[in-house]
Amino acid sequence: MAPLLLQLAGLGAALLASALILISFVAFITATEMPDLHRHEQEKFFLNARGQKETLPSIWDSPTKQLSVVVPSYNEEKRLPVMMDEALSYLEKRQKYGSDKVRVITLVKNRGKGGAIRMGIFSSRGEKILMADADGATKFPDVEKLEKGLNDLQPWPDQMAIACGSRAHLEKESIAQRSYFRTLLMYGFHFLVWFLCVKGIRDTQCGFKLLTREAASRTFSSLHIERWAFDVELLYIAQFFKIPIAEIAVNWTEIEGSKLVPFWSWLQMGKDLLFIRLRYLTGAWRLQQPRKVN
């Protein structure tokens, strides 16, 4: 009986090793060497208040504002106006910022949330750049908490630092409201994030993040993932470059209308996490100094 069990264990280990080698091979041969930073001709302009085309600025230009806010939006006709009203009302009260003007960048094709944010980042004018979700789940005035968290990280190496909004303090409350299946998926995802990619950040997926201009250009220039798991690669890149990161608790409310399909979205993100790790591990993806976008 014992020899049979040993044979089965050996067979199982061999199959597991073979599967890992096969997955690593697939991850390697399907990887693009560098992320596609191409911008279509129509994506180089925005319409000003007079309806005229103006050329968008570049992340590599000198900043002309103190804060830029990037809001990715896809089929958000219902949720976006509420979020924008709150954001603009807040910014107009802060005289050192002002709302200046809203610029809409229309993408030729759906690049995913990460791809849309990257296009917005690359067209930003601010010394600091805030990522915010269109659903308004995080109260906009909480940007002050992120600013404080960012300032507490000073001195910033090469002027780079990131403050991440976090819902980790709400975990117990959210577990009480979720099904056992969704709770299991959540814990599984958190474990994979910790095991494969990012250490020390409890909530990588909160869409409320504040970056210095230099940190934004360094991280988003190297970003490959354009779908839901892009936050994880973003923080993986930041930790590789030793960019200081603060995790800041923010107010957050569940807003109806999420486009995440629990099982399939988490499955896709799990695959992305595994491929992020394997592609960097095998050298299919390499981190280097940021390139300028033409």
Side-chain angles (χ1 to χ4, degrees), residues 2-57:
L4 179 60
L5 290 176
L6 286 175
Q7 288 179 353
L8 289 175
L11 179 61
L15 288 174
L16 184 61
S18 300
L20 184 58
I21 292 171
L22 179 61
I23 294 172
S24 300
F25 178 71
V26 171
F28 184 86
I29 64 172
T30 58
T32 54
E33 185 175 350
M34 277 298 291
D36 179 19
L37 303 183
H38 173 69
R39 189 192 289 267
H40 293 279
E41 190 65 27
Q42 300 95 308
E43 297 171 351
K44 298 177 182 178
F45 305 93
F46 71 98
L47 294 179
N48 62 25
R50 298 182 298 275
Q52 299 170 332
K53 280 187 176 182
E54 277 191 43
T55 303
L56 286 162

Side-chain angles (χ1 to χ4, degrees), residues 67 90 94 97 128-132 138-153 156 161-166 206-212 245-251:
L67 179 70
Y90 171 80
R94 291 187 60 164
Y97 283 157
K128 299 183 181 71
I129 302 172
L130 176 71
M131 297 160 39
T138 304
K139 293 304 178 184
F140 202 86
D142 277 5
V143 67
E144 295 178 15
K145 297 179 180 179
L146 299 192
E147 288 173 319
K148 183 181 183 304
L150 210 61
N151 290 332
D152 288 345
L153 293 173
W156 303 327
I162 300 173
C164 297
S166 175
C206 180
F208 208 61
K209 293 182 174 69
L210 183 67
L211 304 88
T212 63
I245 304 170
E247 186 173 12
I248 309 297
V250 294
N251 295 304

Side-chain angles (χ1 to χ4, degrees), residues 96-115:
K96 67 174 183 176
Y97 283 157
S99 57
D100 191 39
K101 64 174 67 173
V102 176
R103 295 179 172 184
V104 178
I105 305 174
T106 303
L107 303 183
V108 171
K109 66 175 183 178
N110 186 349
R111 294 174 179 260
K113 182 182 179 182

